Amino acid sequence: MQTASGRVNQKTRTRTAIVRAAAELSRTGREVTMPEVAKAALVSEATAYRYFPDLATLLREAIADQIPSPEEALAGVADSVDPVERVAAATEFMLRHVLGRQGVVRAMIAATIVRPDRPNVRPAMRFGLIDYALAPLAGTLGGRDPQALAQLKNDLAVVVSAEALFSLTDLRAMAPEAAIASLVHTATTLTRAALAE
């Protein structure tokens, strides 16, 4: 007969196995579904749903330690004060990160499209990258015209995104490298334009 502590330990092991399986699948770039996660964790799909109400909740926990801080992501331009260079680096980093984890990113997007009441389920990596990339503007453009800096951040959030990348690769049939180059071009053009104004 299993004791109460034995049941708790078993539940902890099962939950850990589900999270670990989701994390491993998310690194493959392949499609990530609850049945696939359950299979990899050696549990039933019903069991996986007992621990996590939906795929997005599970994935958010599973990928939490896979998302670098903006400082880690943009370490290569940390000494630069050129916002255009920093935005280019942020855009490229974000889009390459998305490409490497397409399956999980698409699953998260799909989950929030069908459940718009839960926007905070998705990680907001792009916003941290944009804020960090534009940090040198805090005392210049941000001091002169905070609205203009806020607008630039909003504009960049549309471009420095998985949705923009998938629009080009899926709908325009662009190769990933060409799509990334196009979006880096757009992001830096927006930044230059905001600085010129």
Side-chain angles (χ1 to χ4, degrees):
M1 184 172 166
Q2 194 173 36
T3 65
S5 65
R7 282 192 298 275
V8 169
N9 289 341
Q10 179 58 47
K11 285 183 176 185
T12 301
R13 284 193 299 273
T14 300
R15 189 177 203 287
T16 300
I18 294 167
V19 171
R20 186 175 295 131
E24 289 171 8
L25 282 172
S26 74
R27 289 185 186 97
T28 66
R30 295 189 335 253
E31 180 182 10
V32 180
T33 64
M34 196 64 97
E36 285 294 315
V37 171
K39 182 178 175 184
L42 303 176
V43 299
S44 70
E45 187 177 349
T47 297
Y49 276 116
R50 273 198 297 276
Y51 286 85
F52 296 94
D54 52 51
L55 182 61
T57 303
L58 167 59
L59 292 177
R60 182 171 176 89
E61 183 172 330
I63 65 171
D65 66 347
Q66 296 177 24
I67 299 174
S69 70
E71 295 80 8
E72 293 167 333
L74 302 182
V77 292
D79 294 333
S80 173
V81 294
D82 178 0
V84 174
E85 178 184 21
R86 292 170 65 93
V87 163
T91 306
E92 183 151 353
F93 181 88
M94 174 70 185
L95 301 178
R96 292 195 183 286
H97 185 84
V98 167
L99 276 179
R101 292 162 177 78
Q102 277 194 67
V104 72
V105 173
R106 288 176 186 274
M108 294 293 276
I109 290 171
T112 55
I113 286 173
V114 298
R115 294 283 311 271
D117 58 314
R118 300 185 64 216
N120 295 330
V121 171
R122 280 175 61 188
M125 185 170 131
R126 77 181 88 173
F127 299 107
L129 289 172
I130 291 166
D131 286 344
Y132 186 72
L134 296 178
L137 295 180
T140 56
L141 179 63
R144 282 192 322 269
D145 191 348
Q147 288 285 79
L149 181 56
Q151 184 62 55
L152 175 58
K153 289 180 179 183
N154 290 339
D155 295 345
L156 288 172
V158 175
V159 176
V160 184
S161 68
E163 296 88 344
L165 179 65
F166 295 150
S167 290
L168 294 179
T169 58
D170 298 357
L171 304 178
R172 296 286 296 164
M174 289 178 73
E177 290 301 317
I180 290 172
S182 179
L183 292 169
V184 168
H185 170 77
T186 304
T188 55
T189 300
L190 286 168
T191 307
R192 283 191 193 94
L195 295 174
E197 288 172 9

Coordinates of all heavy atoms in Angstrom, one line a residue, residues 101-184:
R101 N 13.3 27.0 -32.3 CA 12.2 26.4 -31.4 C 10.9 26.6 -32.1 O 9.9 26.9 -31.4 CB 12.3 27.1 -30.1 CG 13.5 26.8 -29.3 CD 13.8 27.8 -28.2 NE 14.9 27.4 -27.4 CZ 16.2 27.5 -27.8 NH1 16.4 28.1 -28.9 NH2 17.2 27.2 -27.0
Q102 N 10.8 26.4 -33.4 CA 9.6 26.7 -34.1 C 8.4 26.0 -33.6 O 7.3 26.6 -33.5 CB 9.7 26.3 -35.6 CG 10.4 27.4 -36.4 CD 10.2 27.1 -37.9 OE1 9.1 27.1 -38.4 NE2 11.3 26.8 -38.6
G103 N 8.5 24.7 -33.2 CA 7.4 23.9 -32.8 C 6.7 24.5 -31.6 O 5.5 24.7 -31.5
V104 N 7.6 24.8 -30.6 CA 7.0 25.4 -29.3 C 6.5 26.8 -29.5 O 5.4 27.2 -28.9 CB 8.0 25.3 -28.2 CG1 9.2 26.3 -28.3 CG2 7.4 25.5 -26.8
V105 N 7.1 27.6 -30.3 CA 6.7 28.9 -30.6 C 5.3 28.9 -31.3 O 4.4 29.7 -30.9 CB 7.7 29.7 -31.4 CG1 7.2 31.1 -31.8 CG2 9.0 29.9 -30.6
R106 N 5.2 28.1 -32.3 CA 3.9 28.0 -33.0 C 2.8 27.5 -32.1 O 1.7 28.0 -32.1 CB 4.0 27.1 -34.2 CG 4.9 27.7 -35.3 CD 5.0 26.7 -36.5 NE 5.9 27.2 -37.5 CZ 5.5 28.0 -38.5 NH1 4.3 28.3 -38.6 NH2 6.4 28.4 -39.4
A107 N 3.1 26.6 -31.2 CA 2.1 26.1 -30.2 C 1.7 27.2 -29.3 O 0.5 27.3 -29.0 CB 2.7 24.9 -29.5
M108 N 2.6 28.0 -28.8 CA 2.3 29.1 -27.9 C 1.5 30.1 -28.6 O 0.5 30.7 -28.0 CB 3.6 29.7 -27.3 CG 4.4 28.8 -26.4 SD 3.5 28.4 -24.9 CE 4.0 29.8 -23.9
I109 N 1.8 30.5 -29.8 CA 1.0 31.4 -30.6 C -0.4 30.9 -30.8 O -1.4 31.6 -30.6 CB 1.7 31.7 -32.0 CG1 3.0 32.5 -31.8 CG2 0.7 32.5 -32.9 CD1 3.8 32.7 -33.0
A110 N -0.5 29.7 -31.2 CA -1.8 29.1 -31.4 C -2.7 29.1 -30.1 O -3.9 29.4 -30.2 CB -1.7 27.6 -31.9
A111 N -2.0 28.8 -29.0 CA -2.8 28.8 -27.8 C -3.3 30.1 -27.4 O -4.4 30.2 -26.9 CB -1.9 28.2 -26.7
T112 N -2.5 31.2 -27.6 CA -3.0 32.5 -27.3 C -4.0 33.1 -28.3 O -4.8 34.0 -27.9 CB -1.8 33.5 -27.0 OG1 -1.0 33.5 -28.2 CG2 -1.0 33.1 -25.8
I113 N -3.9 32.6 -29.5 CA -4.9 33.0 -30.5 C -6.3 32.5 -30.1 O -7.3 33.2 -30.2 CB -4.5 32.6 -31.9 CG1 -3.4 33.5 -32.4 CG2 -5.7 32.7 -32.9 CD1 -2.8 33.1 -33.7
V114 N -6.4 31.2 -29.7 CA -7.7 30.7 -29.4 C -8.1 31.1 -28.0 O -9.3 30.9 -27.6 CB -7.7 29.1 -29.5 CG1 -7.5 28.7 -31.0 CG2 -6.7 28.5 -28.6
R115 N -7.2 31.6 -27.2 CA -7.5 32.0 -25.8 C -6.9 33.4 -25.6 O -6.0 33.6 -24.8 CB -6.9 31.0 -24.8 CG -7.4 29.6 -24.7 CD -8.8 29.5 -24.0 NE -8.9 30.1 -22.8 CZ -8.6 29.6 -21.6 NH1 -8.1 28.3 -21.6 NH2 -8.7 30.2 -20.5
P116 N -7.5 34.4 -26.2 CA -6.9 35.8 -26.1 C -7.1 36.3 -24.7 O -6.4 37.3 -24.4 CB -7.8 36.6 -27.1 CG -9.0 35.8 -27.3 CD -8.6 34.4 -27.1
D117 N -7.9 35.7 -23.9 CA -8.0 36.2 -22.5 C -6.8 35.8 -21.6 O -6.7 36.2 -20.5 CB -9.3 35.5 -21.9 CG -9.3 34.0 -21.9 OD1 -8.9 33.5 -23.0 OD2 -9.6 33.4 -20.9
R118 N -5.9 35.1 -22.2 CA -4.7 34.6 -21.5 C -3.4 35.1 -22.2 O -2.5 34.3 -22.5 CB -4.7 33.1 -21.3 CG -5.9 32.6 -20.6 CD -5.9 31.1 -20.4 NE -4.7 30.8 -19.5 CZ -4.0 29.7 -19.6 NH1 -4.3 28.8 -20.5 NH2 -3.0 29.5 -18.8
P119 N -3.2 36.4 -22.4 CA -2.1 36.9 -23.2 C -0.7 36.7 -22.4 O 0.3 36.6 -23.0 CB -2.3 38.3 -23.4 CG -3.2 38.7 -22.2 CD -4.1 37.5 -21.9
N120 N -0.8 36.6 -21.1 CA 0.5 36.4 -20.3 C 1.0 35.0 -20.3 O 2.1 34.8 -19.6 CB 0.3 37.0 -18.9 CG 0.0 38.5 -18.9 OD1 0.4 39.2 -19.8 ND2 -0.8 38.9 -18.0
V121 N 0.4 34.1 -21.0 CA 0.9 32.7 -21.0 C 2.2 32.7 -21.9 O 3.1 32.0 -21.5 CB -0.2 31.8 -21.6 CG1 0.4 30.4 -21.8 CG2 -1.3 31.7 -20.6
R122 N 2.2 33.5 -22.9 CA 3.4 33.5 -23.8 C 4.5 34.3 -23.2 O 4.3 35.4 -22.6 CB 3.1 34.2 -25.1 CG 2.4 33.2 -26.0 CD 1.9 33.8 -27.3 NE 3.0 34.3 -28.1 CZ 2.8 35.1 -29.2 NH1 1.6 35.4 -29.6 NH2 3.8 35.5 -29.9
P123 N 5.8 33.9 -23.3 CA 6.9 34.7 -22.9 C 7.0 36.0 -23.7 O 6.6 36.0 -24.9 CB 8.1 33.8 -23.2 CG 7.6 32.5 -23.5 CD 6.2 32.6 -23.9
A124 N 7.4 37.0 -23.1 CA 7.5 38.3 -23.8 C 8.9 38.7 -24.0 O 9.4 39.8 -23.8 CB 6.8 39.4 -22.9
M125 N 9.7 37.8 -24.6 CA 11.1 38.0 -24.8 C 11.4 39.2 -25.6 O 12.4 39.9 -25.4 CB 11.7 36.7 -25.4 CG 13.2 36.7 -25.6 SD 13.7 35.0 -26.1 CE 14.7 35.4 -27.4
R126 N 10.6 39.4 -26.7 CA 10.9 40.5 -27.6 C 11.0 41.9 -26.9 O 11.7 42.7 -27.2 CB 9.9 40.5 -28.8 CG 8.6 41.1 -28.4 CD 7.6 41.1 -29.6 NE 6.9 39.8 -29.6 CZ 5.9 39.5 -30.4 NH1 5.5 40.4 -31.2 NH2 5.4 38.3 -30.3
F127 N 10.1 42.1 -25.9 CA 10.0 43.3 -25.2 C 11.2 43.6 -24.4 O 11.7 44.8 -24.4 CB 8.7 43.4 -24.4 CG 7.4 43.3 -25.2 CD1 6.7 42.1 -25.2 CD2 7.1 44.3 -26.1 CE1 5.6 42.0 -26.0 CE2 5.9 44.2 -26.9 CZ 5.2 43.0 -26.8
G128 N 11.7 42.6 -23.7 CA 13.0 42.8 -23.0 C 14.1 43.1 -23.9 O 15.0 43.9 -23.6
L129 N 14.2 42.4 -25.0 CA 15.3 42.6 -26.0 C 15.2 44.1 -26.6 O 16.2 44.7 -26.7 CB 15.2 41.6 -27.1 CG 15.6 40.2 -26.8 CD1 15.3 39.3 -28.0 CD2 17.0 40.1 -26.4
I130 N 14.0 44.5 -26.9 CA 13.8 45.8 -27.5 C 14.2 46.9 -26.4 O 14.9 47.9 -26.7 CB 12.4 46.0 -28.0 CG1 12.2 45.1 -29.2 CG2 12.1 47.5 -28.3 CD1 10.7 45.0 -29.6
D131 N 13.7 46.7 -25.2 CA 14.0 47.7 -24.2 C 15.6 47.8 -23.9 O 16.1 48.9 -23.8 CB 13.4 47.3 -22.8 CG 11.9 47.6 -22.8 OD1 11.4 48.3 -23.7 OD2 11.2 47.1 -21.9
Y132 N 16.2 46.6 -23.9 CA 17.6 46.6 -23.7 C 18.4 47.2 -24.8 O 19.4 48.0 -24.7 CB 18.1 45.2 -23.4 CG 19.6 45.1 -23.0 CD1 20.0 45.6 -21.7 CD2 20.5 44.6 -23.8 CE1 21.3 45.5 -21.3 CE2 21.8 44.5 -23.5 CZ 22.2 44.9 -22.2 OH 23.6 44.9 -21.9
A133 N 18.0 46.9 -26.0 CA 18.6 47.4 -27.2 C 18.5 48.9 -27.3 O 19.5 49.6 -27.7 CB 18.0 46.8 -28.5
L134 N 17.4 49.5 -26.9 CA 17.2 50.9 -27.0 C 17.6 51.7 -25.7 O 17.4 52.9 -25.6 CB 15.7 51.2 -27.3 CG 15.2 50.7 -28.7 CD1 13.8 51.0 -28.8 CD2 16.1 51.3 -29.8
A135 N 18.2 51.0 -24.7 CA 18.6 51.6 -23.5 C 19.4 52.9 -23.7 O 19.3 53.9 -23.0 CB 19.3 50.6 -22.6
P136 N 20.3 52.9 -24.7 CA 21.1 54.1 -24.9 C 20.3 55.4 -25.2 O 20.8 56.5 -25.1 CB 22.1 53.8 -26.0 CG 22.2 52.3 -26.0 CD 20.8 51.8 -25.5
L137 N 19.1 55.2 -25.6 CA 18.2 56.3 -26.0 C 17.5 56.9 -24.8 O 16.8 57.9 -25.0 CB 17.2 55.9 -27.1 CG 17.8 55.5 -28.4 CD1 16.6 55.1 -29.4 CD2 18.6 56.6 -29.0
A138 N 17.6 56.3 -23.6 CA 16.8 56.8 -22.5 C 17.1 58.2 -22.2 O 16.2 59.0 -21.9 CB 17.1 55.9 -21.3
G139 N 18.4 58.6 -22.3 CA 18.7 60.0 -22.0 C 18.7 61.0 -23.1 O 18.8 62.2 -23.0
T140 N 18.5 60.4 -24.3 CA 18.4 61.3 -25.5 C 17.0 61.4 -26.0 O 16.2 62.2 -25.6 CB 19.4 60.8 -26.6 OG1 19.1 59.5 -26.9 CG2 20.9 60.9 -26.1
L141 N 16.6 60.5 -26.9 CA 15.3 60.5 -27.5 C 14.2 60.4 -26.3 O 13.2 61.0 -26.3 CB 15.1 59.4 -28.5 CG 13.7 59.3 -29.1 CD1 13.3 60.5 -29.9 CD2 13.6 58.0 -30.0
G142 N 14.5 59.5 -25.4 CA 13.6 59.3 -24.3 C 13.4 60.5 -23.4 O 12.4 60.7 -22.9
G143 N 14.5 61.3 -23.3 CA 14.4 62.5 -22.5 C 13.7 63.6 -23.3 O 12.9 64.3 -22.7
R144 N 13.9 63.7 -24.6 CA 13.3 64.8 -25.4 C 11.9 64.5 -25.7 O 11.0 65.3 -25.7 CB 14.1 64.9 -26.7 CG 15.4 65.6 -26.7 CD 15.9 65.9 -28.1 NE 15.7 64.9 -29.1 CZ 16.5 63.9 -29.4 NH1 17.6 63.8 -28.7 NH2 16.2 63.1 -30.3
D145 N 11.6 63.2 -26.1 CA 10.3 62.8 -26.6 C 10.0 61.4 -26.2 O 10.1 60.5 -27.0 CB 10.3 63.0 -28.1 CG 8.9 62.9 -28.7 OD1 8.0 62.5 -28.0 OD2 8.8 63.2 -29.9
P146 N 9.5 61.2 -24.9 CA 9.2 59.9 -24.4 C 8.2 59.2 -25.3 O 8.3 57.9 -25.4 CB 8.7 60.1 -23.0 CG 9.1 61.5 -22.6 CD 9.3 62.2 -23.9
Q147 N 7.3 59.9 -25.8 CA 6.2 59.3 -26.7 C 6.9 58.7 -27.9 O 6.4 57.6 -28.4 CB 5.2 60.4 -27.1 CG 4.3 60.8 -26.0 CD 3.3 59.7 -25.7 OE1 3.6 58.7 -25.0 NE2 2.0 59.9 -26.1
A148 N 7.8 59.4 -28.5 CA 8.5 58.9 -29.7 C 9.2 57.6 -29.4 O 9.2 56.6 -30.2 CB 9.4 59.9 -30.3
L149 N 9.9 57.5 -28.2 CA 10.6 56.3 -27.9 C 9.6 55.2 -27.6 O 9.8 54.0 -28.1 CB 11.5 56.5 -26.6 CG 12.3 55.3 -26.1 CD1 13.2 54.8 -27.2 CD2 13.1 55.7 -24.9
A150 N 8.5 55.5 -27.0 CA 7.5 54.5 -26.7 C 6.9 54.0 -28.1 O 6.7 52.7 -28.2 CB 6.4 55.0 -25.9
Q151 N 6.7 54.9 -29.0 CA 6.2 54.5 -30.3 C 7.2 53.6 -31.1 O 6.8 52.6 -31.7 CB 5.8 55.7 -31.2 CG 5.2 55.4 -32.5 CD 3.8 54.7 -32.3 OE1 3.0 55.2 -31.7 NE2 3.7 53.5 -32.9
L152 N 8.4 53.9 -31.0 CA 9.5 53.1 -31.6 C 9.5 51.7 -31.0 O 9.5 50.7 -31.8 CB 10.9 53.7 -31.5 CG 12.0 52.9 -32.0 CD1 11.9 52.6 -33.5 CD2 13.4 53.6 -31.7
K153 N 9.3 51.6 -29.7 CA 9.3 50.3 -29.1 C 8.1 49.5 -29.6 O 8.2 48.3 -29.9 CB 9.3 50.4 -27.6 CG 10.6 50.9 -27.0 CD 10.5 51.0 -25.5 CE 11.9 51.4 -24.9 NZ 11.8 51.5 -23.4
N154 N 6.9 50.1 -29.7 CA 5.7 49.5 -30.2 C 5.9 49.0 -31.7 O 5.5 47.9 -32.1 CB 4.5 50.4 -30.1 CG 4.1 50.6 -28.7 OD1 4.4 49.8 -27.8 ND2 3.3 51.6 -28.4
D155 N 6.5 49.9 -32.5 CA 6.8 49.6 -33.9 C 7.7 48.4 -34.0 O 7.4 47.4 -34.8 CB 7.4 50.8 -34.6 CG 6.4 52.0 -34.7 OD1 5.2 51.8 -34.5 OD2 6.9 53.1 -35.0
L156 N 8.7 48.4 -33.2 CA 9.7 47.3 -33.3 C 9.1 45.9 -32.8 O 9.4 44.9 -33.3 CB 10.9 47.6 -32.4 CG 11.8 48.6 -33.1 CD1 13.0 49.0 -32.1 CD2 12.5 48.2 -34.4
A157 N 8.1 46.0 -31.8 CA 7.5 44.8 -31.3 C 6.8 44.0 -32.4 O 6.6 42.8 -32.4 CB 6.6 45.1 -30.2
V158 N 6.3 44.8 -33.4 CA 5.6 44.1 -34.6 C 6.6 43.4 -35.5 O 6.3 42.3 -36.0 CB 4.8 45.2 -35.4 CG1 4.2 44.5 -36.6 CG2 3.8 45.8 -34.5
V159 N 7.8 43.9 -35.6 CA 8.8 43.4 -36.5 C 9.7 42.4 -35.8 O 10.0 41.3 -36.5 CB 9.7 44.6 -37.0 CG1 10.8 44.1 -37.9 CG2 8.8 45.6 -37.7
V160 N 10.1 42.6 -34.6 CA 11.0 41.7 -33.9 C 10.1 40.6 -33.3 O 9.9 40.5 -32.1 CB 11.8 42.5 -32.8 CG1 12.8 41.5 -32.1 CG2 12.5 43.6 -33.4
S161 N 9.5 39.8 -34.1 CA 8.5 38.8 -33.6 C 8.5 37.5 -34.4 O 8.8 37.5 -35.6 CB 7.2 39.5 -33.6 OG 6.7 39.7 -35.0
A162 N 8.0 36.5 -33.8 CA 7.8 35.2 -34.5 C 6.7 35.4 -35.5 O 6.8 34.8 -36.6 CB 7.4 34.2 -33.4
E163 N 5.7 36.2 -35.2 CA 4.6 36.4 -36.2 C 5.1 37.0 -37.5 O 4.7 36.5 -38.6 CB 3.5 37.2 -35.6 CG 2.8 36.7 -34.4 CD 3.5 37.0 -33.1 OE1 4.7 37.4 -33.1 OE2 2.9 36.8 -32.0
A164 N 6.0 38.0 -37.4 CA 6.5 38.6 -38.6 C 7.4 37.6 -39.4 O 7.3 37.5 -40.6 CB 7.4 39.8 -38.2
L165 N 8.2 36.8 -38.7 CA 9.0 35.8 -39.3 C 8.2 34.8 -40.0 O 8.4 34.4 -41.2 CB 9.9 35.1 -38.3 CG 10.8 34.0 -38.8 CD1 11.9 34.6 -39.8 CD2 11.5 33.3 -37.7
F166 N 7.1 34.3 -39.3 CA 6.3 33.2 -40.0 C 5.5 33.8 -41.1 O 5.2 33.1 -42.1 CB 5.4 32.6 -38.9 CG 6.1 31.8 -37.9 CD1 5.6 31.7 -36.6 CD2 7.3 31.2 -38.1 CE1 6.3 31.0 -35.6 CE2 8.0 30.5 -37.2 CZ 7.5 30.4 -35.9
S167 N 5.1 35.1 -41.1 CA 4.4 35.7 -42.2 C 5.3 35.6 -43.5 O 4.8 35.3 -44.6 CB 4.1 37.1 -41.9 OG 3.1 37.2 -40.9
L168 N 6.6 35.9 -43.3 CA 7.5 35.9 -44.4 C 7.8 34.4 -44.9 O 7.9 34.2 -46.1 CB 8.8 36.6 -44.1 CG 8.6 38.1 -43.9 CD1 9.9 38.8 -43.6 CD2 8.0 38.8 -45.2
T169 N 8.1 33.5 -43.9 CA 8.5 32.2 -44.3 C 7.2 31.4 -44.8 O 7.3 30.6 -45.8 CB 9.2 31.4 -43.2 OG1 8.3 31.4 -42.0 CG2 10.5 32.1 -42.8
D170 N 6.1 31.5 -44.1 CA 4.9 30.7 -44.5 C 4.1 31.3 -45.6 O 3.7 30.6 -46.5 CB 4.0 30.6 -43.3 CG 4.7 29.9 -42.1 OD1 5.8 29.5 -42.2 OD2 4.0 29.8 -41.0
L171 N 3.9 32.6 -45.6 CA 3.0 33.2 -46.6 C 3.7 33.7 -47.8 O 3.1 33.7 -48.9 CB 2.2 34.3 -45.9 CG 1.4 33.9 -44.7 CD1 0.6 35.1 -44.1 CD2 0.4 32.8 -45.0
R172 N 4.9 34.2 -47.6 CA 5.7 34.7 -48.7 C 6.7 33.6 -49.3 O 7.4 33.9 -50.2 CB 6.5 36.0 -48.4 CG 5.6 37.1 -48.0 CD 5.0 37.8 -49.2 NE 6.0 38.4 -50.0 CZ 5.7 38.8 -51.3 NH1 4.5 38.6 -51.8 NH2 6.7 39.3 -52.0
A173 N 6.8 32.5 -48.6 CA 7.6 31.4 -49.0 C 9.1 31.8 -49.0 O 9.9 31.3 -49.9 CB 7.2 30.8 -50.3
M174 N 9.5 32.8 -48.2 CA 10.9 33.2 -48.1 C 11.7 32.2 -47.4 O 11.2 31.6 -46.4 CB 11.0 34.6 -47.5 CG 10.5 35.7 -48.3 SD 10.6 37.3 -47.4 CE 12.3 37.6 -47.5
A175 N 13.0 32.0 -47.8 CA 13.9 31.2 -47.0 C 14.1 31.9 -45.6 O 14.1 33.1 -45.6 CB 15.2 31.1 -47.8
P176 N 14.4 31.1 -44.6 CA 14.6 31.7 -43.3 C 15.6 32.8 -43.2 O 15.4 33.9 -42.6 CB 14.9 30.5 -42.4 CG 14.2 29.4 -43.0 CD 14.3 29.7 -44.5
E177 N 16.8 32.6 -43.9 CA 17.8 33.6 -43.9 C 17.4 34.9 -44.5 O 17.7 36.0 -44.0 CB 19.1 33.0 -44.5 CG 19.8 32.0 -43.7 CD 20.2 32.4 -42.3 OE1 20.8 33.5 -42.2 OE2 20.0 31.6 -41.4
A178 N 16.7 34.8 -45.6 CA 16.2 36.0 -46.3 C 15.1 36.7 -45.5 O 15.1 37.9 -45.4 CB 15.6 35.6 -47.7
A179 N 14.3 35.9 -44.8 CA 13.3 36.5 -43.9 C 13.9 37.3 -42.8 O 13.5 38.4 -42.4 CB 12.3 35.4 -43.4
I180 N 14.9 36.7 -42.2 CA 15.7 37.3 -41.1 C 16.3 38.6 -41.6 O 16.2 39.7 -40.9 CB 16.7 36.4 -40.4 CG1 16.0 35.3 -39.7 CG2 17.6 37.1 -39.5 CD1 16.9 34.2 -39.1
A181 N 17.0 38.5 -42.7 CA 17.6 39.7 -43.3 C 16.6 40.8 -43.5 O 16.9 42.0 -43.2 CB 18.4 39.4 -44.5
S182 N 15.5 40.5 -44.0 CA 14.4 41.5 -44.3 C 13.9 42.1 -43.0 O 13.7 43.3 -43.0 CB 13.2 40.8 -45.0 OG 12.2 41.7 -45.3
L183 N 13.7 41.3 -42.0 CA 13.2 41.9 -40.8 C 14.3 42.7 -40.0 O 13.9 43.7 -39.4 CB 12.6 40.8 -39.9 CG 11.4 40.1 -40.4 CD1 11.0 38.9 -39.7 CD2 10.2 41.1 -40.4
V184 N 15.5 42.3 -40.1 CA 16.6 43.1 -39.5 C 16.6 44.5 -40.3 O 16.7 45.5 -39.7 CB 18.0 42.4 -39.6 CG1 19.1 43.4 -39.3 CG2 18.0 41.2 -38.7

